[in-house]
Amino acid sequence: VFPGNCWAFKGHQGQVVIKLPARVYVTAVTVQHITKDASPSGTIFSAPKDIAVFVSLLGASVDTDREEETLLGMFTYNVEKNPVQTFPLKNMLLPRAFSHVKLLVKSNWGNPWYTCIYRVKVHGK
């Protein structure tokens, strides 16, 4: 993880859909950003803040028969804590595995031009 070597998107909102290599019973998501000490500016305003995690079987298809997405959790990435943060997801009502995970970033920590995510990990079985 090096400063600037991230997935960046314009503005403070964005999303990514991750196609998993197999169907997974998703239990948690880990998000990583750089530390303030590693940042050339000494700030990490581009870090994501409010994040929602959804799952589906068919991903981001625009087909009319697309399965609805299911929200598994909403959480806040805290820039004052460890840069690697794992968030357990509420999937006890969904006793099945999914093939796609969508990470929806709803806000960042104050950068109006872009938001950066350095690493995302999906945990499950």
Side-chain angles (χ1 to χ4, degrees), residues 19-30:
K19 182 177 180 184
L20 303 170
R23 287 191 179 180
V24 175
Y25 183 78
V26 182
T27 57
V29 170
T30 296

Side-chain angles (χ1 to χ4, degrees), residues 49-67:
K49 184 177 181 184
D50 296 310
I51 302 171
V53 177
F54 297 86
V55 290
S56 73
L57 289 171
L58 301 176
S61 169
V62 293
D63 297 339
T64 55
D65 60 348
R66 175 173 78 96
E67 177 180 330

Side-chain angles (χ1 to χ4, degrees), residues 5-114:
N5 189 15
C6 68
W7 169 61
F9 54 88
K10 187 177 180 179
H12 64 276
Q13 294 182 335
Q15 65 183 22
V16 62
V17 176
I18 302 165
K19 182 177 180 184
L20 303 170
R23 287 191 179 180
V24 175
Y25 183 78
V26 182
T27 57
V29 170
T30 296
V31 176
Q32 183 174 355
H33 197 273
I34 60 171
T35 63
K36 289 179 186 176
D37 293 339
S39 173
S41 68
T43 66
I44 50 175
F45 296 133
S46 66
K49 184 177 181 184
D50 296 310
I51 302 171
V53 177
F54 297 86
V55 290
S56 73
L57 289 171
L58 301 176
S61 169
V62 293
D63 297 339
T64 55
D65 60 348
R66 175 173 78 96
E67 177 180 330
E68 290 294 317
E69 297 174 332
T70 302
L71 176 67
L72 286 191
M74 294 175 43
F75 53 87
T76 299
Y77 180 88
N78 188 335
V79 294
E80 300 301 326
K81 292 186 176 180
N82 188 316
V84 180
Q85 297 175 29
T86 300
F87 304 95
L89 300 173
K90 299 174 181 124
N91 58 355
M92 57 286 264
L93 300 176
L94 299 169
R96 62 181 176 152
F98 292 90
S99 58
H100 292 80
V101 174
K102 180 168 91 174
L103 199 70
L104 173 64
V105 177
K106 301 170 90 174
S107 65
N108 69 19
W109 283 94
N111 188 317
W113 300 286
Y114 62 91

